[in-house]
Amino acid sequence: DIQMTQSPSTLSASVGDRVTITCRASQSINTWLAWYQQKPGKAPKLLISRASSLESGVPSRFSAYGSGTEFTLTISSLQPDDFATYYCQQYDSYSPLTFGGGTKVEIK
Amino acid sequence: QVQLQESGPGLVKPSQTLSLTCTVSGGSITSGDSFWSWIRQSAGKGLEWIGRIYADGSTTYTPSLKSRVTISLDTSKNQFSLKVNSVTAADTAVYFCARDKSLLGWFDTWGQGSLVTVSS
């Protein structure tokens, strides 16, 4: 299986901060990567697919980049609604689908 | 707009079979435009994809659970189901059903989740 490693596991930040989360794959996955946001007691919500394609309705302060084994999710100006846990997920067609361990963005 | 809703027992005894159903509304599971998956989330292992089914009944499972898992369709009720046999405490988790409309592997629509506890 392809292992997905996210860093940091927890990130403390303030409203207005620029934050970046990193996701690394154990082998190349091209751009077969999605990002999700999850709030307590809720299901994950799809933010980005194909490594950098923003889903409809997702604020433009979210952006993502990467290919191969290294990927990033950036929130340009953190808003109160953005405090949540973020997960990456790979969907390489020759491997079981796997998720990263998550990055909790908390209030500083 | 497609919506998914999980249902099933919240408590299962060790060694027994966990059974959950996902009811799909706003779309047909036989339309052929989506994969239908089960995903679970536990404190110990985070998010874990269990497997998926397509409109023709073909399935794919994650290797670590393949020997204990069955996903099936009930087209008359527009539902798909999950069975996990020989459960242990390690199967305690919130179970989500989810749709992959891209047919590539990401999940655009999720159910709200169903907590299943394995305990005697």
Side-chain angles (χ1 to χ4, degrees), chain A residues 1 32 34 36 38 41-44 46 49-50 55 87 89 91 96-97 99, chain B residues 37 39 41 47-49 52 61-63 96 104-108 110-112:
Chain A
D1 296 4
W32 303 126
Y36 301 86
Q38 186 179 32
K42 301 293 187 183
L46 179 66
S49 59
R50 297 187 178 96
E55 290 298 299
Y87 294 93
Q89 178 234 325
Y91 49 93
L97 309 178
F99 293 83
Chain B
S37 278
I39 297 157
Q41 185 172 32
L47 286 162
E48 181 178 29
W49 177 70
R52 68 187 180 199
Y61 301 119
T62 197
F96 296 98
L104 291 175
W106 70 80
F107 307 104
D108 60 279
W110 296 64
Q112 88 284 359

Side-chain angles (χ1 to χ4, degrees), chain A residues 69-88:
Chain A
T69 62
E70 189 114 353
F71 302 86
T72 58
L73 173 70
T74 298
I75 309 172
S76 60
S77 178
L78 202 62
Q79 298 302 301
D81 190 49
D82 302 337
F83 292 98
T85 301
Y86 294 84
Y87 294 93
C88 60

Side-chain angles (χ1 to χ4, degrees), chain A residues 13 16 23 29 35 44 46 48 59:
Chain A
C23 176
I29 57 170
W35 288 97
L46 179 66
I48 286 164

Side-chain angles (χ1 to χ4, degrees), chain A residues 97, chain B residues 1-5 21-39 49-61 69-75 78-82 96-111:
Chain A
L97 309 178
Chain B
Q1 180 180 346
V2 169
Q3 293 184 308
L4 285 68
Q5 174 81 46
T21 295
C22 182
T23 300
V24 179
S25 58
S28 172
I29 59 172
T30 58
S31 64
D33 65 354
S34 300
F35 285 124
W36 306 96
S37 278
W38 286 98
I39 297 157
W49 177 70
I50 299 169
R52 68 187 180 199
I53 192 164
Y54 186 60
D56 63 0
S58 57
T59 53
T60 306
Y61 301 119
V69 168
T70 303
I71 297 176
S72 59
L73 295 175
D74 185 338
T75 57
N78 213 36
Q79 296 174 335
F80 62 105
S81 297
L82 170 71
F96 296 98
C97 56
R99 181 184 75 163
D100 166 15
K101 189 169 173 61
S102 70
L103 297 177
L104 291 175
W106 70 80
F107 307 104
D108 60 279
T109 305
W110 296 64

